[in-house]
RNA sequence: GCCGGAGUGGUGGAAUGGUAGACGCGGCGGACUCAAAAUCCGUUGAGCUUGCGCUCAUGUGGGUUCAAGUCCCACCUCCGGCACCA
């Protein structure tokens, strides 16, 4: 059991009430632990972990240092959501339509120094290794989309006026002849240089407007595309034709080169833009070598046959791509290029309640000289820093030695925002500033995001008390990889991608021996409210497990959750269904009021028992918990008919029931005279011979319709089955004045007669 | 729009290409009870016959097959995810 207890909710509650997040966390953990224990899960509580425990986050920090040493953790200027009114930086989910979720205050995007993790360095492996994983196709597909590999080419376009070249990325280099204009993103570095004097005012106005637009607005597909001509022309290298360079925010600064060649005839976005601004549209791909009638209704984005493309005309798209990429390389104006949508991971948060990042910086004066210890106190250094008399060597981060981990979060009662974009830890002067070798240093004040602790917790389960390593080599060798990971689909990309990334880094560090952490993944479906809608307080359809436990008991509750339907399915709660599982348990209990006898069970009962043992075993392994329970219900329906209960039936029945209804099963086990818990009993064995019946019912079809059933010995020969089928009274009615054309006999299964 | 998943009785859901509706919930009838609840027994897809039976039925329309809920093609609806990524 693990508590992922750092993060926003505890911190926000702390700011609101003044209660330290550690206190809230402790109380919440105690409540949850009690609830979970009441359900009777077989967790190994000796392996309980808590991401906020310094003994745990020591290793979260240790992993960060490994990332840092490998150049996978670095600093960059990244925009954050700064809310002046609240005096704090907000997470993306706290910002709605450019306003803070709390209080509806304006939020501005401002650049800030952040720690980043270079997950992009692992993009290729994160994509490729999905192949071998036993995961739901949907999750794999989501990860592939998120990683977003695309193949294409980069191409240089000469800018008119001797301004050098503008490089674009395209996945359709074969449409180069159809590029009739170019677009660069508003944040493109060359925009200023490209813009002509006549257009400068218009372009600057557009850029300002684009910047104020939230990401959400910018990516709203339904919004009409906007843009402004920069005044500058470029040269299409394939045709030599001058084409205008526009600036438009439908081109993203952060992807590819931040500039595109626009081919309106063969790209829906370029088509819409060209239409809106009256730009030329030139067809260069056709379905069959013949251009479509103009004006075009829409862009033709499919592959096809090149037209009007110089020497390349007539080529199929795939071949053309190869040919033109080679030509571009030859001309030294382009090359093949693979691009990824995946971005590096912003790894710092301006929060108190998270793992401190184990990094510090030298404090230097305006001349760059170290600040000697002197008689200064940490508070004095803070003041010097605030007044600009000293600064931090932010470009030279220094790792906290591993031997000094954990770097513990300072005790404080002031975890409120600082009122400026600095994290709350900046206010903990005595923690932040320290003297080493006679000069001052300052610690990093950003903390890690909540993902950090949950990225690797499965490793800590292996060896949760180990103080010398995150887990011993023996424990890692013994347990990994995780053979079954059950989790919600909401973690499809972020958590599962981050965890895979860290695991691969640890693999490269030699800490773990497999490159993937979770071999098999199953997504349990969400339980909806009784109204079929997502449970939510505002909707008032929330089911409180505690109340259900009170009324129906833990076993009935567990059983109901399992019998509702397939584990993966999203399904609505129905309290009425709980009556069914409770009734089942009552009936099991009543069954044991019958005398338990040592006499052997009759053949039919024995067969039913063994079939059930086999089915419950198979279904449990395959996580078909609903049908496993149904099978036990069926068996019970047989057993209640008996006057006495043979021990040889009662004991295995209790044992297969135990994983599903442990409380009742344990009680019945004791009533059977056992003093030791059934937890130490092996799964009961089933006799395959008893799982097959001697006589079977064979359906007989005539022309595909069921007409009769034969009850015959299991191993009745084919010829005999055919004879019996044709002799059957019911079958004869349908074959009477017809010709039997064919008889298909599937032994033990079915007889199918075809008549004409 | 793209990707993934799902459409089966009144209802939750079962069904290696081989007897559609297992097992529940609910309903109906009966037993017990003064009565109700609980419990137990029976019954329960629709329709026709109320006889042995027959016809229809797994979102829609085609197809493959002796045989299709299951496989193939086209489409509809719902859920989840992504979405100006060139």
């Amino acid at each position: 059991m693990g508590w992922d207890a750092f993060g926003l909710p505890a911190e926000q509650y702390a700011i609101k009430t003044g209660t330290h997040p550690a206190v809230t966390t402790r109380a919440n953990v105690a409540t949850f632990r009690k609830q979970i224990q009441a359900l009777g899960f077989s967790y190994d509580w000796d392996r309980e972990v808590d991401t906020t425990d310094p003994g745990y986050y020591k290793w979260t920090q240790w992993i960060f240092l490994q990332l840092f040493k490998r150049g996978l953790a670095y600093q960059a200027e990244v925009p954050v959501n700064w809310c002046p009114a609240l005096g704090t930086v907000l997470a993306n989910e706290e910002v709605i339509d450019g306003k803070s979720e709390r209080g509806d205050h304006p939020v501005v995007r401002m650049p800030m120094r952040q720690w980043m993790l270079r997950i992009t360095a692992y993009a290729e492996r994160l994509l490729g290794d999905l192949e071998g994983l036993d995961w739901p196709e949907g999750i794999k597909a989501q990860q592939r989309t998120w990683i977003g590999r695309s193949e294409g080419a980069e191409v240089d376009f000469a800018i008119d006026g001797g301004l050098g070249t503008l490089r674009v990325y395209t996945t359709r280099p074969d449409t180069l002849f159809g590029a009739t204009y170019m677009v660069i993103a508003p944040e493109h570095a060359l925009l200023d240089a490209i813009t002509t004097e006549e257009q400068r005012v218009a372009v600057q106005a557009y850029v300002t407007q684009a910047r104020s637009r939230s990401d959400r607005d910018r990516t709203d597909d339904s919004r009409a595309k906007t843009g402004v001509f920069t005044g500058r022309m470029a040269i299409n290298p394939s045709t030599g034709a001058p084409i205008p360079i526009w600036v438009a925010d439908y081109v993203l600064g952060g992807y590819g080169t931040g500039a595109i060649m626009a081919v309106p005839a063969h790209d829906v976005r370029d088509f819409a833009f060209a239409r809106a601004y009256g730009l030329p549209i030139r067809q260069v791909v056709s379905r069959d070598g013949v251009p479509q009638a103009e004006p075009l209704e829409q862009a033709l984005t499919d592959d096809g046959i090149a037209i009007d493309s110089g020497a390349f005309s007539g080529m199929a798209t795939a071949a053309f791509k190869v040919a033109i990429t080679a030509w571009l390389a030859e001309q030294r104006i382009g090359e093949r290029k693979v691009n990824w949508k995946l971005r590096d991971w912003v790894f710092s948060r301006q929060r108190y309640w998270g793992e401190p990042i184990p990094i510090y910086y030298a404090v230097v004066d305006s001349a760059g000289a170290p600040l000697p210890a002197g008689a200064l106190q940490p508070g004095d250094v803070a003041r010097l820093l605030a007044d600009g008399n000293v600064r931090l060597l932010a470009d030279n981060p220094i790792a906290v030695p591993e031997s000094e981990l954990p770097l513990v979060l300072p005790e404080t009662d002031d975890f409120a925002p600082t009122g400026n974009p600095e994290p709350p830890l900046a206010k903990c002067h005595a923690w932040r500033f320290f003297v080493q070798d006679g000069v001052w240093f300052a610690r990093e004040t950003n903390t890690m995001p909540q993902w950090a602790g949950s990225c690797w917790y499965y490793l800590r389960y292996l060896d949760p008390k180990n103080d010398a390593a995150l887990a011993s080599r023996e424990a890692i060798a013994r347990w990994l990889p995780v053979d079954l990971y059950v989790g919600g689909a909401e973690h499809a990309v972020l958590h599962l991608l981050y965890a895979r990334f860290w695991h691969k880094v640890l693999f490269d560090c030699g800490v773990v021996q497999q490159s993937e952490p979770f071999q098999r993944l199953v997504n349990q479906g969400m339980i909806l409210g009784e109204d079929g809608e997502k449970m939510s307080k505002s909707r008032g359809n929330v089911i409180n497990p505690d109340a259900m436990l009170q009324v129906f008991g833990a076993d009935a509750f567990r059983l109901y959750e399992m019998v509702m339907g397939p584990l993966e399915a999203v399904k609505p709660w129905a309290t009425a269904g709980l009556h069914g599982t409770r009734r089942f348990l009552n009936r099991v209990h009543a069954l044991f009021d019958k005398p338990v006898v040592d006499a052997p069970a009759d053949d039919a009962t024995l067969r039913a028992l063994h079939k059930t043992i086999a089915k419950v075993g198979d279904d449990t392994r395959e996580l078909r918990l609903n049908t496993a329970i149904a099978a036990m219900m069926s068996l019970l329906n047989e057993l209640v008919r008996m006057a006495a209960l043979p021990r040889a039936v009662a004991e295995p029945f209790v044992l297969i029931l135990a994983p599903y209804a442990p409380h009742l099963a344990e009680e019945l086990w004791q009533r059977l005279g056992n003093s030791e818990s059934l937890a130490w009993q092996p799964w009961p064995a089933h006799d395959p011979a008893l799982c097959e019946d001697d006589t079977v019912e064979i359906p007989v079809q005539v022309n595909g319709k069921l007409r009769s059933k034969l009850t015959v010995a299991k191993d009745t020969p084919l010829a005999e089955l055919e004879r019996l089928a044709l002799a059957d009274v019911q079958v004869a009615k349908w074959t009477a004045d017809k010709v039997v054309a064919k008889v298909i006999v599937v032994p033990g299964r079915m007889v199918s007669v075809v008549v004409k």
Side-chain angles (χ1 to χ4, degrees):
Chain A
M1 188 64 215
W3 310 102
D4 185 16
F6 271 132
L8 231 37
E11 176 149 329
Q12 276 172 346
Y13 184 79
I15 292 165
K16 210 164 72 190
T17 65
T19 317
H20 194 283
V23 175
T24 320
T25 300
R26 218 174 296 129
N28 287 343
V29 163
T31 306
F32 278 128
R33 189 190 292 118
K34 212 172 123 194
Q35 284 184 329
I36 284 163
Q37 286 178 338
L39 286 166
F41 293 151
S42 303
Y43 292 147
D44 181 350
W45 290 95
D46 291 341
R47 293 173 187 270
E48 185 176 358
V49 301
D50 174 351
T51 57
T52 68
D53 175 1
Y56 181 92
Y57 70 67
K58 168 180 179 175
W59 298 105
T60 310
Q61 292 172 331
W62 182 84
I63 296 169
F64 177 86
L65 290 181
Q66 309 316 307
L67 287 154
F68 179 65
K69 284 176 194 164
R70 294 177 160 259
L72 295 169
Y74 65 98
Q75 299 177 90
E77 291 283 331
V78 176
V80 295
N81 304 303
W82 163 243
C83 178
L86 293 173
T88 186
V89 173
L90 299 175
N92 282 328
E93 57 267 29
E94 294 177 292
V95 183
I96 296 162
D97 288 333
K99 300 283 180 65
S100 65
E101 187 186 11
R102 277 178 301 137
D104 209 29
H105 304 295
V107 174
V108 296
R109 304 272 284 166
M110 62 178 290
M112 203 176 148
R113 188 184 54 82
Q114 302 264 19
W115 279 93
M116 308 282 292
L117 296 188
R118 213 179 295 280
I119 191 171
T120 50
Y122 281 69
E124 196 93 58
R125 287 163 67 186
L126 287 168
L127 181 70
D129 288 352
L130 281 172
E131 211 62 49
L133 296 179
D134 183 12
W135 286 21
E137 201 39 56
I139 301 289
K140 287 208 226 179
Q142 280 184 57
Q143 291 216 349
R144 284 192 199 104
T145 309
W146 193 262
I147 295 167
R149 183 182 195 274
S150 75
E151 272 181 42
E154 287 192 350
V155 186
D156 289 325
F157 283 64
I159 305 170
D160 212 23
L163 287 171
T165 60
L166 182 57
R167 175 160 276 228
V168 303
Y169 171 69
T170 177
T171 54
R172 292 295 300 274
D174 60 295
T175 60
L176 182 59
F177 286 78
T180 53
Y181 65 100
M182 299 182 79
V183 184
I184 69 174
E187 49 275 79
H188 198 284
L190 290 180
L191 177 58
D192 240 15
I194 286 174
T195 304
T196 59
E197 286 316 313
E198 302 84 74
Q199 290 298 99
R200 192 162 299 280
V201 173
V203 167
Q204 274 172 356
Y206 182 76
V207 169
T208 307
Q209 184 202 336
R211 193 175 295 144
S212 72
R213 216 173 272 147
S214 72
D215 280 5
R216 207 190 167 76
D217 291 346
R218 248 186 93 162
T219 59
D220 183 356
D221 213 4
S222 58
R223 192 174 65 89
K225 292 181 177 28
T226 59
V228 172
F229 179 40
T230 61
R232 189 75 61 185
M233 305 300 275
I235 304 300
N236 182 326
S238 63
T239 60
I243 56 176
I245 305 174
W246 285 61
V247 55
D249 66 2
Y250 81 90
V251 170
L252 308 174
Y255 181 78
T257 62
I260 62 158
M261 63 178 209
V263 186
H266 306 291
D267 180 282
V268 291
R269 299 152 300 186
D270 298 343
F271 184 81
F273 191 79
R275 270 283 183 82
Y277 291 96
L279 292 157
I281 298 172
R282 182 164 187 261
Q283 294 189 58
V284 290
V285 183
S286 67
R287 287 185 209 284
D288 48 13
V290 181
Q292 298 184 81
E294 307 212 14
L296 294 181
E297 289 292 311
Q298 55 179 14
L300 171 68
T301 56
D302 299 340
D303 287 4
I305 307 295
I307 50 172
D308 224 352
S309 297
F312 300 98
S313 296
M315 286 186 92
T317 299
F320 191 169
K321 282 182 178 175
V322 175
I324 190 126
T325 306
W327 179 81
L328 289 166
E330 217 170 87
Q331 303 291 310
R332 299 183 181 282
I333 54 169
E335 59 193 349
R336 194 185 102 93
K337 172 83 181 179
V338 171
N339 249 317
W340 304 85
K341 282 195 233 174
L342 186 69
R343 308 294 164 81
D344 277 344
W345 174 9
V346 180
F347 194 68
S348 39
R349 299 289 183 271
Q350 294 70 49
R351 300 286 170 181
Y352 169 75
W353 194 232
E355 300 88 345
I357 292 174
I359 291 290
Y360 60 97
Y361 309 91
V363 180
V364 296
D365 63 22
S366 50
L371 182 67
L376 295 172
Q377 295 299 308
D380 302 326
V381 183
R383 209 165 306 117
L384 288 170
L385 187 62
D387 295 344
N389 293 319
V390 297
R391 60 189 173 88
L392 306 185
L393 282 184
D395 293 340
N396 187 27
I398 305 164
V400 170
E402 288 178 15
S403 60
E404 287 178 21
L405 297 181
L407 172 60
V408 179
L409 206 52
E411 269 308 320
T412 177
D413 51 9
D414 183 13
F415 22 73
T418 53
N420 59 55
E422 272 203 303
L425 282 181
K427 292 191 288 188
C428 299
H429 302 151
W431 175 85
R432 185 184 187 190
F433 300 104
F434 64 97
V435 172
Q436 185 176 283
D437 300 328
V439 294
W440 284 96
F441 291 91
R443 298 193 185 283
E444 173 61 61
T445 53
N446 281 293
T447 52
M448 300 188 199
Q450 194 171 3
W451 304 111
S454 59
C455 253
W456 69 281
Y457 71 103
Y458 60 95
L459 292 172
R460 194 59 176 169
Y461 281 160
L462 312 183
D463 197 4
K465 308 273 193 311
N466 196 328
D467 197 40
L470 58 81
S472 71
R473 300 197 72 80
E474 299 74 53
I476 288 170
R478 161 138 197 248
W479 292 102
L480 288 187
V482 174
D483 46 18
L484 172 64
Y485 193 89
V486 181
E490 67 274 18
H491 292 128
V493 276
L494 296 180
H495 166 65
L496 285 170
L497 203 59
Y498 293 154
R500 291 180 63 218
F501 165 46
W502 275 32
H503 193 90
K504 286 182 186 304
V505 173
L506 292 172
F507 174 71
D508 291 347
C509 293
V511 174
V512 296
Q513 311 309 315
Q514 302 81 8
S515 62
E516 283 289 333
F518 314 125
Q519 186 50 44
R520 181 178 171 212
L521 175 75
V522 172
N523 291 128
Q524 88 276 23
M526 192 176 22
I527 307 291
L528 305 173
E530 293 204 90
D531 54 2
E533 302 285 340
K534 210 169 185 166
M535 283 194 200
S536 77
K537 276 188 191 146
S538 59
R539 215 178 242 115
N541 61 352
V542 173
I543 298 295
N544 177 4
D546 285 349
M548 293 294 146
L549 245 53
Q550 278 298 312
V551 179
F552 296 97
D555 282 352
F557 182 84
R558 292 166 56 114
L559 231 30
Y560 175 63
E561 290 223 309
M562 291 186 272
V563 88
M564 285 171 85
L567 179 65
E568 300 88 343
V570 176
K571 40 209 179 248
W573 179 268
T575 303
L578 261 168
H579 290 286
T581 53
R582 176 66 210 211
R583 201 173 292 160
F584 167 66
L585 294 171
N586 285 348
R587 283 172 22 114
V588 171
H589 195 263
L591 178 71
F592 281 75
D593 288 338
K594 293 180 200 253
V596 175
V597 296
D598 287 320
D602 62 88
D603 186 65
T605 306
L606 220 48
R607 284 178 188 278
L609 173 72
H610 282 256
K611 281 182 198 166
T612 308
I613 294 173
K615 175 152 181 64
V616 173
D618 288 347
D619 283 355
T620 304
R621 255 187 304 281
E622 299 298 323
L623 301 177
R624 293 187 300 244
L625 309 176
N626 51 334
T627 50
I629 294 167
M632 289 188 279
M633 288 176 165
S634 295
L635 177 63
L636 176 69
N637 289 341
E638 300 292 321
L639 298 181
V640 291
R641 292 184 224 285
M642 299 168 49
L645 189 58
R647 178 171 296 275
V649 174
E651 291 201 338
F653 180 55
V654 169
L655 291 176
I656 59 173
L657 180 64
Y660 291 85
H663 303 93
L664 176 64
E666 193 70 65
E667 183 187 326
L668 295 176
W669 187 248
Q670 281 181 27
R671 271 176 65 175
L672 287 169
N674 299 290
S675 52
E676 191 185 63
S677 166
L678 55 66
W680 278 272
Q681 293 297 314
W683 186 258
H686 66 273
D687 180 352
L690 287 173
C691 291
E692 273 188 59
D693 288 323
D694 293 335
T695 60
V696 288
E697 200 179 43
I698 302 288
V700 183
Q701 289 181 354
V702 179
N703 284 0
K705 288 193 191 293
L706 177 72
R707 296 304 181 189
S708 186
K709 294 168 188 178
L710 306 171
T711 302
V712 297
K714 171 178 73 185
D715 44 8
T716 307
L718 290 187
E720 176 67 0
L721 271 176
E722 180 171 341
R723 192 188 66 75
L724 286 170
L726 293 174
D728 185 88
V729 182
Q730 294 300 336
V731 174
K733 283 193 351 199
W734 298 91
T735 56
D737 38 345
K738 306 259 172 54
V739 179
V740 175
K742 193 152 98 171
V743 180
I744 295 150
V745 183
V746 184
R749 273 265 163 232
M750 138 95 47
V751 178
S752 187
V753 182
V754 186
V755 298
K756 279 181 186 153

